Amino acid sequence: MALIIIKKSPKENISNRMIEIASPGDIILFVQDGVLYAIEEKTKDLIKNGVSVFVLKEDLEARGYSENISLFPCVNYDGWVELIEKNEKIIS
Amino acid sequence: MALIIIKKSPKENISNRMIEIASPGDIILFVQDGVLYAIEEKTKDLIKNGVSVFVLKEDLEARGYSENISLFPCVNYDGWVELIEKNEKIIS
Amino acid sequence: MKKVLFVVYQSPSGSIWVNEALRCAFGMYGEDLEPSILFMEDAVVAVNKNTHPEKLGCLSLSMSFKYLERYGTPIYVVKEDLEKRKIKEEDIEPTWKAQIITNDELSSFIHSFDRIIFF
Amino acid sequence: MKKVLFVVYQSPSGSIWVNEALRCAFGMYGEDLEPSILFMEDAVVAVNKNTHPEKLGCLSLSMSFKYLERYGTPIYVVKEDLEKRKIKEEDIEPTWKAQIITNDELSSFIHSFDRIIFF
Amino acid sequence: MHIVIQVNVPPYTYEDLDTAIHLAESALNRGHKVSIFLFADSVLSVNSKVKPLRIDRNIPHKMQELSEKGVEIHICGLCADYRGISPENTIQGPKFSGVPEMASLIFKADRYVNLMP
Amino acid sequence: MHIVIQVNVPPYTYEDLDTAIHLAESALNRGHKVSIFLFADSVLSVNSKVKPLRIDRNIPHKMQELSEKGVEIHICGLCADYRGISPENTIQGPKFSGVPEMASLIFKADRYVNLMP
């Protein structure tokens, strides 16, 4: 079980590689330019079964997207801290 | 006629976009991490007909590759300056 | 007269480059220069009327709007980059007066300038 | 005891991150920590014996070799990333004692650490 | 819990310092102990000589506020040397540390969040 | 010819200042007039307080050498404000300029080479 924080845009290879690292039970959180994954349908194909995905609402909204366009549930900064509390292993 | 200087690695989308911008008569110069294009066969497919390609020798060698592995001719810094002299239009 | 193009490719909320390109473009008018700005890749996010870096405490894009209106600096955006980021024409903030060009037109468009500076 | 992994993904001649990851890894031994370094993407260029940032006037990678030998810090490199950059096993500088792992093994490998820091 | 946030990129140019400040505030509000480790170009965020536009946020000022709220701020000393940062041009609060302190935080803290460069 | 080189990223962290210095030297050797425009984080390359490791290159020192060889170095003043750089902590030679000087160089110089961020 790990929390994987992806902060770079989908156009960066390293972001895709980090999504591939996720294994069942892991949580992926998209922040900063990583939130652009939340509006691309093909992101769903990249995410393995059993991996939960969240999106930082503040970063999504600052880039012009509302919560209801996001393919994954949003969290705010408090929610991010909660994810940190629940996951000792953090990959970022 | 333009000189297009590509300094970012092939893994960066913007580098591929800059290669696409080249039109016949243009010159592409790969420098810094852009030199990694010089060792990938598929780079040849990206380069349009009529576009000349050069590689900065110093950056290629500093990354462990010898001139003879490069798919394109090398220039040194003096050669880079020559390319600048010859091309008023520089895209970088 | 020389035509100058500033090309921005990074997201305006994640980085300073959109604001810096705007600032540079507005500064060109002191010389016999004709500046334009092209947004491509993640930078197209800038033209969405709902994009507000100030929500993160960062500088707002709207601080440039009065200069944009005063100078009428041409703003270009790549169609395919907009589409990929799900930004529709009606989402575009009218103040930008953004002109949409296709990826196919990009090469000849960029070559039509004398100086091309990527940010 | 905690296992720490520093993951580097940027080229060692174009950026400081390989040297910084090495410096951080060597500094871990003062605590009950077991550091390792993983090179992926362009960072795999670091293990090529012909890679010499000092040819550009930048810091040499070899300044880390004495610490690498003293501490025996494990170095891992992703096979597919080496192949893509045409680095053969015989090109690898022996001092690194690099262990090659495949992309398929990457997920379980990374999960075997307690702390994972990307550089 | 003791949560550490490591930052690696310069303030203003990228969003990471803003992210770290927001995250630190939320973690404080949830009752956690927070440390920030400033590595590489992120050390510029505690430079007291930084003069942003009046309409812009003052990141060194925000860092000082965090420090006053009890956030422990560590600066990598060698990174600081490379960027002209010394106690003379640093806001009140941060500690000039190094990799040994990073190791100690990696070992002792409950959580270590890195914002990769 | 008058050749301008614009740099945008921080020294040491990335290679661009090294690239710019080598390119400037070659251009000088070929008899050109050279100007360097330091924008955004690249302004740190003229900070006189930078203390690199003894085995490492001293970039501010190399910039001063270029200046002594006749290279005109411009610093974007607003960029400098944002990074705590002022005439007090700058090597001898660079001019605190701004976008008007950038415009003038873009207009007047024969070549303008940008090293994109």
Side-chain angles (χ1 to χ4, degrees):
Chain A
M1 283 258 304
L3 170 62
I4 304 176
I5 301 166
I6 297 180
K7 54 163 277 207
K8 294 198 165 242
S9 163
K11 70 187 168 107
E12 305 252 1
N13 230 22
I14 191 68
S15 297
N16 281 323
R17 298 289 295 267
M18 290 177 83
I19 292 178
E20 280 174 27
I21 286 166
S23 70
D26 284 351
I27 295 164
I28 289 176
L29 174 67
F30 290 121
V31 307
Q32 295 190 357
D33 289 340
V35 302
L36 293 170
Y37 274 109
I39 57 148
E40 286 187 11
E41 271 78 28
K42 67 175 182 188
T43 304
K44 292 213 162 173
D45 304 329
L46 298 175
I47 308 284
K48 279 183 215 134
N49 277 334
V51 174
S52 322
V53 181
F54 297 96
V55 179
L56 187 65
K57 191 176 177 244
E58 282 84 348
D59 278 325
L60 185 75
E61 288 183 349
R63 284 162 181 77
Y65 302 102
S66 62
E67 207 173 329
N68 56 28
I69 204 190
S70 172
L71 297 169
F72 310 104
C74 287
V75 294
N76 58 14
Y77 278 99
D78 273 5
W80 185 358
V81 178
E82 257 183 85
L83 291 174
I84 290 170
E85 292 165 4
K86 286 183 194 148
N87 291 276
E88 188 171 355
K89 192 171 292 183
I90 298 170
I91 300 173
S92 59
Chain B
M1 281 262 303
L3 170 63
I4 304 176
I5 301 166
I6 296 181
K7 54 163 279 208
K8 294 198 165 243
S9 164
K11 69 187 169 107
E12 306 251 0
N13 231 23
I14 190 68
S15 297
N16 280 323
R17 299 289 294 269
M18 291 177 82
I19 292 178
E20 280 172 27
I21 285 165
S23 70
D26 284 352
I27 295 164
I28 289 176
L29 173 66
F30 291 120
V31 306
Q32 296 191 359
D33 289 340
V35 301
L36 293 170
Y37 275 109
I39 57 148
E40 286 187 9
E41 271 78 28
K42 65 176 183 187
T43 303
K44 292 211 163 173
D45 304 330
L46 299 173
I47 308 284
K48 280 183 215 132
N49 277 335
V51 173
S52 322
V53 182
F54 296 97
V55 179
L56 186 65
K57 191 177 177 241
E58 283 83 349
D59 277 326
L60 185 74
E61 288 184 346
R63 284 159 182 79
Y65 302 103
S66 61
E67 208 173 327
N68 55 29
I69 204 189
S70 172
L71 298 169
F72 311 104
C74 288
V75 294
N76 58 15
Y77 277 99
D78 272 7
W80 185 356
V81 177
E82 257 184 85
L83 290 173
I84 291 169
E85 291 165 5
K86 286 181 196 151
N87 292 276
E88 189 170 356
K89 191 172 294 183
I90 298 170
I91 300 174
S92 60
Chain C
M1 200 271 296
K2 285 200 178 89
K3 291 177 70 185
V4 191
L5 181 67
F6 294 95
V7 187
V8 201
Y9 73 100
Q10 296 183 64
S11 161
S13 293
S15 78
I16 50 165
W17 304 107
V18 169
N19 274 326
E20 292 293 39
L22 286 159
R23 179 164 79 90
C24 288
F26 301 144
M28 296 297 117
Y29 294 104
E31 302 279 342
D32 196 11
L33 293 168
E34 196 184 296
S36 298
I37 300 175
L38 169 68
F39 292 139
M40 60 187 289
E41 300 262 304
D42 289 342
V44 301
V45 159
V47 298
N48 187 335
K49 62 175 183 285
N50 298 313
T51 293
H52 292 295
E54 66 273 25
K55 285 191 183 169
L56 300 170
C58 301
L59 269 182
S60 169
L61 292 164
S62 66
M63 69 169 197
S64 294
F65 286 176
K66 67 177 173 193
Y67 301 101
L68 209 53
E69 287 177 333
R70 181 185 309 163
Y71 296 119
T73 311
I75 303 287
Y76 300 88
V77 194
V78 180
K79 187 168 177 277
E80 287 80 357
D81 287 320
L82 283 171
E83 286 170 357
K84 189 164 188 280
R85 288 159 191 83
K86 294 225 173 60
I87 302 167
K88 297 183 225 71
E89 288 210 31
E90 62 264 33
D91 296 331
I92 298 177
E93 163 64 45
T95 316
W96 294 102
K97 293 194 178 64
Q99 299 173 61
I100 296 170
I101 63 171
T102 65
N103 199 40
D104 280 352
E105 297 167 311
L106 209 51
S107 175
S108 62
F109 172 77
I110 289 180
H111 282 79
S112 73
F113 290 83
D114 300 296
R115 304 268 197 237
I116 302 98
I117 296 171
F118 275 67
F119 264 165
Chain D
M1 201 272 295
K2 284 200 179 90
K3 290 177 71 186
V4 191
L5 181 67
F6 294 95
V7 186
V8 200
Y9 73 100
Q10 295 184 63
S11 162
S13 293
S15 78
I16 50 164
W17 303 108
V18 169
N19 274 328
E20 292 294 39
L22 285 159
R23 180 165 78 91
C24 288
F26 301 144
M28 295 296 118
Y29 294 104
E31 301 280 341
D32 196 10
L33 293 169
E34 197 184 295
S36 297
I37 301 175
L38 170 68
F39 292 139
M40 60 188 289
E41 301 261 305
D42 290 342
V44 301
V45 159
V47 299
N48 187 334
K49 61 174 183 287
N50 299 313
T51 293
H52 293 293
E54 66 272 24
K55 283 191 184 169
L56 300 169
C58 301
L59 268 183
S60 168
L61 292 165
S62 66
M63 69 170 196
S64 294
F65 286 176
K66 66 177 172 191
Y67 301 102
L68 209 54
E69 287 178 332
R70 181 185 308 164
Y71 296 120
T73 311
I75 303 287
Y76 299 89
V77 194
V78 181
K79 187 168 177 278
E80 287 80 358
D81 287 320
L82 283 171
E83 285 169 357
K84 190 164 188 282
R85 288 158 192 85
K86 294 225 173 63
I87 303 168
K88 297 184 225 68
E89 289 212 29
E90 60 264 33
D91 296 331
I92 298 177
E93 162 64 45
T95 316
W96 294 103
K97 294 194 178 64
Q99 300 173 60
I100 296 171
I101 63 171
T102 65
N103 199 40
D104 280 350
E105 297 167 311
L106 209 52
S107 175
S108 61
F109 172 76
I110 289 180
H111 281 80
S112 73
F113 290 84
D114 300 296
R115 304 270 198 237
I116 302 96
I117 296 170
F118 274 67
F119 264 164
Chain E
M1 272 186 190
H2 182 188
I3 299 173
V4 183
I5 306 167
Q6 179 175 328
V7 195
N8 302 285
V9 303
Y12 295 108
T13 311
Y14 295 100
E15 188 192 338
D16 298 48
L17 259 306
D18 303 286
T19 300
I21 291 167
H22 289 307
L23 188 60
E25 281 168 352
S26 283
L28 281 181
N29 290 341
R30 289 179 66 87
H32 298 297
K33 174 177 174 187
V34 179
S35 301
I36 295 180
F37 198 96
L38 298 172
F39 196 73
D41 291 314
S42 74
V43 299
L44 295 163
S45 62
V46 291
N47 186 333
S48 58
K49 308 283 187 205
V50 166
K51 281 185 238 153
L53 291 174
R54 249 177 313 152
I55 51 165
D56 203 354
R57 76 269 192 217
N58 188 319
I59 290 181
H61 191 75
K62 281 177 179 276
M63 293 299 278
Q64 186 160 341
E65 281 172 1
L66 279 184
S67 168
E68 286 159 6
K69 287 183 195 163
V71 173
E72 199 180 75
I73 301 175
H74 292 271
I75 311 172
C76 160
L78 184 62
C79 307
D81 282 347
Y82 262 88
R83 287 148 187 101
I85 307 286
S86 65
E88 289 150 48
N89 58 8
T90 301
I91 55 160
Q92 293 291 310
K95 290 180 191 161
F96 281 75
S97 304
V99 175
E101 286 78 8
M102 181 195 276
S104 166
L105 289 168
I106 286 177
F107 183 69
K108 287 183 202 148
D110 299 296
R111 299 290 184 270
Y112 201 92
V113 184
N114 177 53
L115 297 174
M116 62 190 269
Chain F
M1 275 188 187
H2 183 186
I3 298 173
V4 184
I5 306 167
Q6 179 175 327
V7 195
N8 302 286
V9 303
Y12 296 108
T13 311
Y14 295 102
E15 188 192 337
D16 298 47
L17 259 305
D18 303 287
T19 300
I21 291 167
H22 288 308
L23 189 60
E25 281 167 352
S26 284
L28 281 181
N29 289 341
R30 289 178 66 88
H32 298 296
K33 174 177 173 186
V34 179
S35 301
I36 295 180
F37 198 96
L38 299 172
F39 196 73
D41 290 315
S42 75
V43 298
L44 295 164
S45 62
V46 291
N47 185 331
S48 58
K49 308 283 186 206
V50 166
K51 281 184 240 154
L53 290 174
R54 250 178 312 152
I55 51 165
D56 204 353
R57 75 265 192 220
N58 189 320
I59 290 180
H61 190 76
K62 279 175 180 279
M63 294 299 279
Q64 184 159 341
E65 281 173 1
L66 279 184
S67 168
E68 286 159 6
K69 286 182 196 164
V71 173
E72 200 181 73
I73 300 174
H74 292 272
I75 311 172
C76 160
L78 185 61
C79 307
D81 282 346
Y82 262 87
R83 287 150 187 99
I85 306 286
S86 66
E88 289 150 49
N89 57 9
T90 300
I91 55 161
Q92 293 290 311
K95 289 180 192 162
F96 281 76
S97 304
V99 175
E101 286 78 9
M102 182 195 276
S104 165
L105 290 169
I106 286 176
F107 183 70
K108 287 182 205 150
D110 300 294
R111 299 289 184 269
Y112 201 92
V113 184
N114 177 53
L115 297 174
M116 62 190 268

